[in-house]
């Protein structure tokens, strides 16, 4: 194996999948658009300077991804695992010695619309020969606010990991330190024979899980009722919109009908899609698209490892149901069914299949898999939890945060949602040519929350 690359530096299978699935028309970066209240006319420029200065001290932001073609040298492997694929055709993270933060932090000219600016920035892929992240500081023309768009390649981080990296360059906060994971005892070249039966059982269990997920994916493709509006030929263009609604309204709905806040947020997406499809003339009759709901597999209150720890649930959105409360009940039932099965089973857990593909298979097969994303699900609806604490940059308070998800090949729309300081922020990313009316969908989200609230209190 290459000198200087350790076993722990190798990309995990899901990270490697995100790295190889990317194409120029479908960059695989996630993002967050944060809006700050400016405390001076120079606040945006000062924020850019701070981000560049602080980025140099964050190890996770100095890491680039480098392809590896040599087979793994087992003599150097500190912890040989029978189930871990070889590194031939893989990739690894490595620290950049000549890291230049100014290459990653950019100050833009003032704009009147932060979301329109974010759309233009989102369609540009990250440079793959440098640490795969960027921070774009965009002043508002009125001088009272500025925005920061953080972009992270999905191979570098999932939503929670990206949040950790972004928080590291904001103003310091007094947060409790995460509990470190206990260190595993060192192992030799061969696995402990006392644990060999467990390894075998684990391998058989993994095989059974893979077969179960594969069968669930096949079943999920039956009787698919999506809409042409959710399908897009690759154009490489992006449009972004954001909507903020009051969290109190969401809690009012949840307390009235039961379930979780997330159930309500997903049902709001279903109702908004119905309004949008009807208004644009496509029609919602018979439409029940499959929404992929990512689920984090990170342990709470522990140090965040690099890369992705994700599974997911697959939910049919009842777009064709005219009753808002019935739509919510359908979503709640589907989510409960998924939770009962757990994040390691079902069609939504398709990301876990990456663990069963050797590294070379990722390199050769992921471009093909990327083109088949539309066969697996129709729309991504993801939730990124944010801390309720106030965050600042250069003393300027963060007032709004819109998470932005990558757009899969063949799909026209992705939805991400976060709750922050008493409000729910929906971030919408769409193919700009396929969805020129994204603002109509944004307004439909607000209207759907209002209709659900009225239905619950009447």
């Amino acid at each position: 194996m290459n000198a200087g690359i350790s076993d722990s530096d190798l990309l995990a299978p899901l990270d490697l999948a995100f790295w190889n699935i990317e194409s120029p028309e479908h960059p695989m970066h996630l993002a967050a658009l944060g809006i700050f209240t400016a405390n001076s006319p120079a606040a945006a420029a000062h924020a850019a300077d701070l981000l560049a200065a602080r980025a140099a001290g964050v190890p996770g932001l100095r890491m680039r991804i480098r392809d590896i073609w040599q087979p793994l040298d087992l003599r150097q492997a500190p912890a040989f695992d029978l189930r871990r694929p070889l590194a031939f055709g893989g990739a690894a993270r490595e620290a950049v010695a000549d890291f230049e933060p100014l290459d990653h932090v950019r100050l833009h000219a003032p704009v009147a619309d932060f979301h329109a600016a974010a759309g233009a920035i989102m369609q540009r892929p990250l440079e793959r020969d440098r640490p795969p992240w960027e921070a774009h500081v965009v002043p508002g023309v009125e001088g009272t606010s500025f925005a920061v768009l953080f972009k992270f390649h999905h191979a570098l981080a999932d939503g929670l990991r990206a949040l950790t990296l972004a928080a590291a360059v904001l103003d310091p906060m007094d947060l409790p330190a995460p509990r470190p994971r206990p260190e595993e005892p060192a192992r030799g070249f061969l696995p402990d024979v006392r644990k060999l039966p467990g390894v075998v059982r684990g391998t058989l269990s993994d095989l059974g899980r893979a077969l179960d997920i594969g069968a669930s994916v096949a079943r999920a493709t039956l009787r698919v009722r999506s809409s042409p509006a959710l399908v897009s030929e690759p154009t490489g263009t992006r449009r972004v919109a954001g909507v903020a609604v009051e969290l109190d309204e969401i809690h009012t709905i949840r307390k009235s009908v039961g379930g979780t806040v997330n159930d309500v947020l997903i049902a709001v997406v279903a109702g908004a899609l119905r309004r949008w499809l009807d208004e644009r003339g496509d029609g919602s009759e018979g439409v029940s698209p499959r929404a992929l709901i990512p689920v984090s597999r990170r342990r709470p209150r522990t140090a965040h490892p690099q890369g992705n720890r994700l599974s997911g649930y697959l939910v049919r959105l009842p777009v064709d149901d005219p009753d808002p409360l019935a739509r919510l009940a359908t979503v709640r039932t589907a989510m409960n069914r998924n939770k009962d099965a757990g994040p390691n089973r079902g069609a939504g857990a398709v990301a876990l299949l990456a663990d069963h593909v050797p590294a070379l298979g990722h390199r050769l097969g992921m471009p093909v898999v990327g083109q088949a994303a539309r066969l697996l699900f129709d729309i991504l609806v993801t939730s990124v939890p944010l801390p309720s604490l106030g965050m600042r940059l250069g003393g300027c308070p963060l007032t709004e945060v819109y998470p932005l998800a990558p757009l899969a090949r063949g799909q026209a729309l992705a939805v991400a949602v976060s709750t922050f300081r008493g409000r729910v922020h929906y971030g919408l990313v769409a193919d700009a040519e396929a969805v020129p009316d994204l603002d109509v969908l944004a307004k439909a989200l607000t209207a759907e929350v209002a209709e659900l609230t009225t239905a619950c209190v009447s």
Side-chain angles (χ1 to χ4, degrees):
M1 190 171 176
N2 287 7
I5 299 296
S6 70
D7 188 67
S8 60
D9 293 326
L10 295 174
L11 290 192
L14 187 54
D15 303 340
L16 189 58
F18 284 130
W19 186 246
N20 287 314
I21 207 171
E22 184 174 60
S23 69
E25 296 80 17
H26 284 86
M28 289 304 300
H29 53 252
L30 46 85
L33 179 66
I35 299 177
F36 297 80
T37 299
N39 56 15
S40 75
H46 180 51
D49 291 340
L50 284 176
L51 291 174
R54 292 170 178 174
V58 180
L61 298 180
R62 301 177 64 96
M63 306 299 289
R64 70 179 174 187
I65 296 174
R66 182 159 61 89
D67 293 333
I68 293 177
W69 286 98
Q70 290 88 349
L72 179 65
D73 185 350
L74 297 180
R75 294 170 298 178
Q76 298 180 13
F80 178 61
D81 187 336
L82 288 175
R83 292 175 289 170
R84 190 176 62 78
L86 298 182
F88 186 83
R93 298 179 184 87
E94 65 176 7
V96 175
D98 56 348
F99 175 66
E100 178 49 71
L102 293 178
D103 291 339
H104 299 268
V105 180
R106 300 168 189 176
L107 178 63
H108 294 253
V111 302
D113 187 335
F114 292 138
H115 290 97
I121 297 171
M122 282 292 289
Q123 67 190 30
R124 296 198 293 267
L126 293 163
E127 296 187 36
R128 292 170 69 92
D129 59 344
R130 299 196 306 199
W133 68 275
E134 292 173 351
H136 296 262
V137 182
V138 185
V141 291
E142 79 293 339
T144 59
S145 63
F146 66 89
V148 178
L149 179 69
F150 289 101
K151 291 169 54 177
F152 296 94
H153 199 287
H154 222 323
L156 179 70
D158 56 20
L160 289 177
R161 172 66 177 167
L163 173 63
T164 302
L165 293 173
V169 292
L170 298 181
D171 292 355
M173 293 187 298
D174 294 327
L175 297 176
R179 293 200 303 266
R181 296 174 182 268
E183 294 185 4
E184 295 184 1
R187 292 183 292 175
F189 175 79
L190 294 176
D192 189 334
V193 293
R194 294 170 298 178
K195 298 181 179 180
L196 188 58
V199 171
V200 174
R201 286 195 301 271
T203 301
L204 293 176
S205 175
D206 287 349
L207 178 60
R209 182 175 64 182
L211 292 174
D212 175 79
I213 294 172
S216 298
V217 169
R219 290 193 298 269
T221 61
L222 300 176
R223 299 183 300 278
V224 172
R225 295 181 292 165
S226 185
S227 168
L230 298 178
V231 179
S232 170
E233 294 300 322
T235 69
T237 61
R238 293 292 180 269
R239 190 182 303 275
V240 167
V243 176
V245 299
E246 297 301 322
L247 183 58
D248 283 346
E249 293 185 77
I250 303 299
H251 279 305
T252 296
I253 299 168
R254 179 191 62 79
K255 291 175 182 178
S256 175
V257 300
T260 68
V261 166
N262 204 39
D263 294 341
V264 179
L265 298 179
I266 296 170
V268 167
V269 173
L273 287 174
R274 176 182 175 82
R275 294 170 181 272
W276 174 62
L277 291 174
D278 288 343
E279 185 166 340
R280 73 189 333 239
D282 290 328
S284 58
E285 183 178 356
V287 175
S288 59
R290 299 159 301 170
L292 179 62
I293 316 293
V295 177
S296 175
R297 297 168 63 218
R298 293 185 184 276
R299 299 179 184 177
R301 296 185 60 81
T302 56
H304 294 308
Q306 299 184 87
N308 291 268
R309 300 293 186 275
L310 292 173
S311 182
Y313 298 145
L314 199 67
V315 174
R316 292 285 182 97
L317 297 182
V319 172
D320 56 347
D321 194 326
D323 184 343
L325 293 180
R327 288 195 294 268
L328 177 51
T330 299
V331 168
R332 180 184 173 188
T333 299
M335 288 296 289
N336 286 340
R337 187 185 307 116
N338 276 291
K339 292 171 188 175
D340 289 341
N344 296 330
R345 298 283 181 180
V350 66
L352 300 183
L353 293 180
D355 294 340
H356 303 277
V357 179
L360 185 59
H362 280 284
R363 180 173 297 277
L364 299 178
M366 282 305 112
V368 177
V369 172
Q371 297 180 25
R374 189 163 55 87
L375 300 177
L376 303 175
F377 60 97
D378 303 296
I379 183 173
L380 178 73
V381 182
T382 183
S383 177
V384 181
L386 295 175
S388 59
L389 301 174
M391 291 185 278
R392 294 174 178 268
L393 178 56
C396 300
L398 177 63
T399 59
E400 302 173 54
V401 184
Y402 298 94
L404 303 172
L407 199 60
R409 178 179 290 274
Q411 297 178 346
L413 179 67
V415 181
V417 58
S418 285
T419 57
F420 179 66
R421 297 185 68 79
R423 305 189 83 190
V424 176
H425 296 88
Y426 282 95
L428 310 178
V429 177
D431 184 285
E433 295 188 16
V435 188
D437 57 343
L438 190 61
D439 59 321
V440 176
L441 177 59
K443 293 175 182 177
L445 288 165
T446 303
E448 182 65 16
V449 172
E451 183 174 6
L452 271 170
T453 303
T454 300
C456 289
V457 300
S458 61

